[in-house]
Amino acid sequence: MAAANAGEYILHHLTNLTFGKHPEAGWTFADSRFMTEGQNQYQATGQMAAEMGFMAIHVDTMLWSIGLGALFCFIFAKAAKFATAGVPGTLQNLVELVCEFVDTNIKDTFSGKSTLIGPLSLTIFVWVLLMNTMDLVPVDLLPRIFELFGVHYMKVVPTTDVNATLGMALGVFCLIIFYSIRQKGLGGFVGELTLQPFGKWMIPFNLLLEGVGLLAKPISLSLRLFGNLYAGELIFILIALMPFWIQFALSVPWAIFHILVIVLQAFIFMMLTIVYLAMAHEHH
Amino acid sequence: MNLNLTLLGQLISFAIFVWFCMKFVWPPVMAALSERQERIAQGLADADKAAKELDVAQARIEEQVREAKEEASRILEQARKQAAQTVEDAQGKARAEGEKLIEQAKADIEQEVNAAREALRAQVSTLAVAGASKILGTAVDAKAHGDLIDQLAKEL
């Protein structure tokens, strides 16, 4: 299923391996079986995935994100299990470095007391970092390997899937609402949404303003991460379309620059989560 | 770009990873970190305390050395004084002894002289009687002129 031209190549790389319930074909992987005239196979696959609607799952995104999350849990739990207050080993040093970095950021921003925010921030930072790092794997390497096993679509960077980033952002959003209600009570939370900034005579307008502000949090959180990584991935794909003798000269600088983006976006996601939860904890 | 079940899948796995991290990763690592922090703080405090104690001990040592030196010099001084005293005493005693001996010798000599004088005196009376008898040609009655002779002997 090699791509014939640049458009198809790009489309191929941007198509998820989708498993879902198709109105006609039932539960199956999306493929080009319903290809019509004037469509290429990737467009047909995309259309079939789109027809599945909400009842579909991106197998590659789930596979890589869960795999990387499990890797994170495995490494960190292993280090935590043998964590001593004595002289730390190499792995413990690394894990402690990350944990302390996260903890410092929390202490600078979050004034309340919570047993959740530490592990939450750590999970976000490391997990997003790992998922972003998949962007540095050569764009064709893993899809080619999977192609050998008959898997024709493989998007290996979970954070270039808006479902992944929005899923995490929704988790954060739930926590924002949970903490707001726990700290201020349901009435306090509703009051915060409706009684400011303009007082009780402007309730609908206030609700509109504050509601947009509240909803903007998960949306901006997820779309920022998604957009950055999607763009980065796209540029890697575009570079891969160039003649092989020039790819090196472009992809190396971009990869080096992208290391910054990868860490920065993971950090921003974590930092904004902390900030949002700190805001939810505060009384106005 | 389709929104689908992946969203929920991601949300659930996110929750599970956070839960796992909260249960098995964060608490032990943080506990180890804070415990180490405490240990280091304790170690530093101990080091400070030890340094202070060392200072105190050093001061005490100096004090003791100084005291010991003073004591030693005091003892030395005393010993010297005692020695001088002893010598002086001995000298005094010797002198007194010597003087006593001299005194005694003198007394002895005087006694001897007196004895000799007495003996002489006794002989003088005899000699005087004998001499006078020779001169007078007659015997002088010692008894009759005893008083005269005794007076003469006394004048000698």
Side-chain angles (χ1 to χ4, degrees), chain A residues 16 26 134 167 176 199 206 243 264:
Chain A
N16 282 103
M134 292 305 292
I176 291 172
N206 289 340
L264 192 66

Side-chain angles (χ1 to χ4, degrees), chain A residues 152-171:
Chain A
H152 298 300
Y153 299 97
M154 186 50 61
K155 235 175 118 183
V156 295
V157 192
T159 40
T160 58
D161 182 351
V162 75
N163 287 294
T165 60
L166 194 58
M168 296 177 78
L170 278 180

Side-chain angles (χ1 to χ4, degrees), chain A residues 99-112:
Chain A
C99 288
E100 203 155 28
F101 166 72
V102 171
D103 196 45
T104 309
N105 280 307
I106 292 170
K107 279 183 180 143
D108 286 346
T109 313
F110 189 82
S111 55

Side-chain angles (χ1 to χ4, degrees), chain A residues 176 180-181 183-198 206-207 209-211 214 217 276 279-284:
Chain A
I176 291 172
S180 291
I181 292 174
Q183 288 299 113
K184 301 153 194 166
L186 190 60
F189 179 56
V190 172
E192 205 175 81
L193 281 179
T194 51
L195 297 178
Q196 59 174 7
F198 292 121
N206 289 340
L207 184 61
L209 270 183
E210 290 290 318
L214 186 66
K217 286 173 182 173
Y276 290 157
M279 283 164 70
H281 256 263
E282 274 169 16
H283 289 270
H284 289 288

Side-chain angles (χ1 to χ4, degrees), chain A residues 211-262:
Chain A
V212 166
L214 186 66
L215 289 175
K217 286 173 182 173
I219 302 287
S220 68
L221 205 54
S222 61
L223 289 187
R224 180 182 299 107
L225 179 59
F226 164 70
N228 273 283
L229 270 291
Y230 191 80
E233 175 81 344
L234 202 57
I235 288 177
F236 276 120
I237 295 170
L238 290 175
I239 291 172
L241 279 168
M242 297 197 154
F244 73 93
W245 45 269
I246 205 170
Q247 285 183 16
F248 174 80
L250 290 169
S251 66
V252 168
W254 180 244
I256 291 170
F257 172 69
H258 210 60
I259 292 172
L260 182 71
V261 175
I262 284 165

Side-chain angles (χ1 to χ4, degrees), chain A residues 5 17 23 32 39 41-42 50 106 149 159 166 175 204 220 230 242:
Chain A
N5 59 43
L17 178 65
S32 55
Q39 262 187 334
Q41 52 187 336
Y42 309 113
I106 292 170
F149 296 98
T159 40
L166 194 58
L175 286 174
S220 68
Y230 191 80
M242 297 197 154

Side-chain angles (χ1 to χ4, degrees), chain A residues 24 38 50 59 71 81 91 98 107 112 120 165 172 223 231 234-235 242-243:
Chain A
E24 286 173 51
V59 177
L71 181 72
K81 195 176 168 189
L91 180 65
V98 177
K107 279 183 180 143
L120 176 76
T165 60
V172 174
L223 289 187
L234 202 57
I235 288 177
M242 297 197 154

Side-chain angles (χ1 to χ4, degrees), chain A residues 82-89 92-93 96, chain B residues 32-33 35-37 39-40:
Chain A
F82 300 108
T84 62
V87 181
Q92 196 191 338
N93 251 334
E96 279 179 5
Chain B
L33 280 176
E35 199 187 327
R36 183 170 323 126
Q37 209 165 15
R39 270 196 205 179
I40 291 171

